[in-house]
Amino acid sequence: MAVAMASIGSNFGLYSNLKAMEKQPCLRATPFICSFGLDPVQLPCIIPRRSLSSSTSTFISKASPTPAVENGSSQETDAIPTPVVIIDQDSDPDATIVEITFGDRLGALLDTMNSLKTLGLNVVKANVYLDSSGKHNKFAITKASTGRKVDEPELLEAIRLTIINNLLEYHPESSAQLALGAAFGATPPSEQVDVDIATHIHVYDDGPEQSLLVVETADRPGLLVDLVKIITDINIAVKSGEFDTEGLLAKAKFHVSYKGKAIIKPLQQVLANSLRYFLRRPFTEEASF
């Protein structure tokens, strides 16, 4: 998964309903090139409506009853569940799997599927299942132009933000449970998370040809793209992975390699240190160096 770029900035329908935003510094604001192996895509620097400091927010387990409306139905309950969005590149060789959970509050998500189509994507398969954590809506997505899975991190991030934007629109009560609610939602999370405490990075051996990189940190717009850029900046290839948005946190698992081999211990330390430095200082300005 190398990373390359053409522009999809105009396709970001999720920002069309936001007012003009003042420019905020963000990590490596200039465009970059890294490749997951398919068509080039460019992701512009994502600017939140309200500035997101290097700290985001902590979970709120209880809130006053808030009606949730989607596809004409409404529900009301005391406990607001934790929204979860999973983008899975591992389980299907031919499609990108997206899974969305928000307790038992989600409807058919027709508007979400239509929004994904505006990004040049096809939803080729969808199913729903229930378990103790709630109702899981699962989509298999391919690029309309190629019929293949999505490999560009910029487009994967656009998918993630499109889904979250629709979640905020149809379930505004989710805003207080999402880090991105501080930027795009009606109600920001009430408390802040210490990004230094929230950030955990581990690299594990995963056979002779690859290693497994696991990252957990406070969520923010553009995070998926930033992670891939930092990894590829030190000449490590990202082969596949999974990116999960769980309320206020983001959790990523990447299969990575160096020159087709697993990453040796000294390079594992370099990778972990590079990620830790940039994730804990997401809005450091170039001029400050």
Side-chain angles (χ1 to χ4, degrees), residues 2-21:
V3 182
M5 309 192 310
S7 175
I8 62 167
S10 61
N11 290 331
F12 275 25
L14 68 161
Y15 297 114
S16 61
N17 61 344
L18 300 178
K19 64 182 181 180
M21 308 170 188

Side-chain angles (χ1 to χ4, degrees), residues 192-204:
Q192 292 190 335
V193 163
D194 187 325
V195 70
D196 289 340
I197 296 174
T199 299
H200 304 281
I201 300 164
H202 303 283
V203 185
Y204 302 100

Side-chain angles (χ1 to χ4, degrees), residues 4 24 42 52 69 73 111 139 157-158 166 177 231 286:
Q24 302 285 340
Q42 180 175 357
L52 288 177
V69 180
S73 64
D111 287 89
F139 308 128
E157 178 71 348
N166 280 328
Q177 296 286 76
I231 296 167
E286 296 284 341

